[in-house]
Amino acid sequence: MSVTAPLGFRAAGIAAGIKSGDARDLALVVNDGPSRAAAGVFTANRVKAAPVLWSQQVLRGGRLRAVVLNSGGANACTGPEGFQDTHATAEKVAEVIDDSAGEVAVCSTGLIGERLPMDALLSGVEQAAAQLSRDGGLAAADAIRTTDTVSKISFKRADGYMVGGMAKGAGMLAPGLATMLCVITTDADLTAEQLDTVLRRATATTFDRLDTDGCMSTNDTVLLLASGAAGLTPDLAEFEQKVTEVCADLARQLLVDAEGASKAIAIEVVGAASEDDAVTVGRAVSRSNLLKCAIHGEDPNWGRVLAAAGTTDAVFEPDRLNVAINGIWVCRGGAVGDDRDKVDMRPRDVTITIDLGAGPHTATVHTTDLTAAYVHENSAYSS
Amino acid sequence: MSVTAPLGFRAAGIAAGIKSGDARDLALVVNDGPSRAAAGVFTANRVKAAPVLWSQQVLRGGRLRAVVLNSGGANACTGPEGFQDTHATAEKVAEVIDDSAGEVAVCSTGLIGERLPMDALLSGVEQAAAQLSRDGGLAAADAIRTTDTVSKISFKRADGYMVGGMAKGAGMLAPGLATMLCVITTDADLTAEQLDTVLRRATATTFDRLDTDGCMSTNDTVLLLASGAAGLTPDLAEFEQKVTEVCADLARQLLVDAEGASKAIAIEVVGAASEDDAVTVGRAVSRSNLLKCAIHGEDPNWGRVLAAAGTTDAVFEPDRLNVAINGIWVCRGGAVGDDRDKVDMRPRDVTITIDLGAGPHTATVHTTDLTAAYVHENSAYSS
């Protein structure tokens, strides 16, 4: 399963000693071809971690032989030395698989502002290379976890080829592209340009619409690698659908595992004058701490939905807004609607529907509630 | 003290039964002149409560005889009926003080989306009118509290005149102008235009730079009333300074009383290419839940400061950013700086200094930490 489900890929996940304890913290994914076409999307944050700067540069060539990923340190805000560390990591991978560092992507995740323990990391790369196998996908997915409580993997079969993937992410989840580390593989045969187009479209409606805490990461990376080992070029529309399904599946797993969350909230904006307007309103509502607290308290507080929508410049008339929570239209025409006591807030999944009454466009943004557990986890992270 | 410190004002604060229990919930402030010049600033939220719509209309005339304020209900998202309730409240005040409703401002605060109990409110207005006095300022400040744990009042004496004020606000504090209810009075003699200019300038650098939870209210109102009873027209620059001092004093009181907060955080942005850039970066950092959790945990996590700054379009080079926390430059040139163990995080006041290295401009935005107590308070508010 995971990234090794498609033909042509080997992976490994090992404990290199980057993290304290004996948890896995280093993953290696290798594409044995025959194709090496690849594409990537990266964080829109202007403060980019060294591995992001490196991998963006590598991806200009449109080819990847391997991806090395570590948890236990983000290698962000580490200056020129941090970039050298990333470079040295790629060189080490190139050495052990006897290939070029110019086709090795690097991904790191963990605490910002600390150098990586390079001795442990480089010897870990050797160890991982020795363990590369066709069934290493699960161990690789395990090795990239930080505060993630579970591994996130996905897998879809199409007609004659497969798409597999793994992801990590539990905090600092806000759109700016991607919002975490993710490697997707396929054994179909596609060009780098085709992969790039498909990946951008697939992430735009999945990972990019996930916003659990409004905090954009410095390390977000989503890679798509094609081995061509299945020996066929797929119908592009079908391929895009499969990749989108894998992205949506992984995004859903990130949402459910978001730090401290007890509710998964879908903010469904309908009746918008444009898709951008729908996303803007969805995002503003998803970032309202007050609303997120209310949902945690199982309080269908539609007033906080309106207060958040009112901060945007989306096209709507405040006195025409309708809001439903779990199917009950508690706000009609910008004022009190149906009895809020009818709303069943007990399920983990909560859907908030906002009808802007301004057009035919829709978008859904996914977020979580705000809990004391989130505060606790993020007060203690680096200590 | 409070709004009745300057000559020419009477006030009262009584328990009208709008809230459950016997807490004060209705305040009345009356300007006995000889002048009635007044100005106001209001929330920038497009979803505006009925009393905001009413008071904005009244202020077009530049005169106020009275302000009636209630806690126990925001009268927001209440439709045309809610607006009629505000109108009826102003008419009742006009009746009991024998004046015109067109010079009566109305302010409401409390839960969004519920009608006010008008019988209780209107008989409360009669009761408050009967208790109006020159020393009613404290009771009025007490009556406008919601989740505020203390009354907020301020008072500054100038050469021959005074400026006094009261405010309420503990949650939904984000700039969009004002961020709460506030009434400021003076016995100096100024025109409505002068008051408007001074009030806009004073709030822009005080209330507008307070952002405790990123949530913009539907009811924010700051009013400035001048009675002229001291019989002099002040130097405008000195008057602006006094009004700014009262606003800053009240803003500080709001910050310290913000829901669940255990730290008062000043985000001081220096070296900016423009004041707007400085405010933009300050605001982005003040809204990072992850940083606010870290400060709660007394963790000088400068990586989260950079991650937030990186989401803005302010002019800076990521590898030239310097960050100090409580005076220790823990980040230099976008990377690790001085030893973070030197930072003393124990005081309630925390100062984060961000040097953008891009120009001479500065701004400070004030926020609080994010705590389990905030989550608890806002999960339970309406239930």
Side-chain angles (χ1 to χ4, degrees), chain A residues 45-47 77 113 172 289-290 293 297 299 302 304 306-307 310 312 314 316 318 334-336 370 374-375 378-379 381-382, chain B residues 45-47 77 113 172 289-290 293 296 299 302 304 306-307 310 312 314 316 318 334-336 370 374-375 378-379 381-382:
Chain A
N45 201 309
R46 290 168 58 198
V47 176
C77 306
M172 234 183 215
N289 279 353
L290 287 174
C293 286
D299 167 14
W302 58 270
R304 293 177 182 175
L306 263 63
T312 72
F316 66 82
V336 186
L370 180 58
Y374 175 90
V375 174
N378 287 297
S379 304
Y381 185 65
S382 80
Chain B
N45 200 310
R46 290 168 59 199
V47 176
C77 307
M172 236 185 212
N289 279 352
L290 287 174
C293 286
H296 178 54
D299 167 13
W302 58 269
R304 294 178 182 176
L306 263 63
T312 71
F316 66 82
V336 186
L370 180 58
Y374 175 90
V375 174
N378 287 296
S379 304
Y381 185 64
S382 81

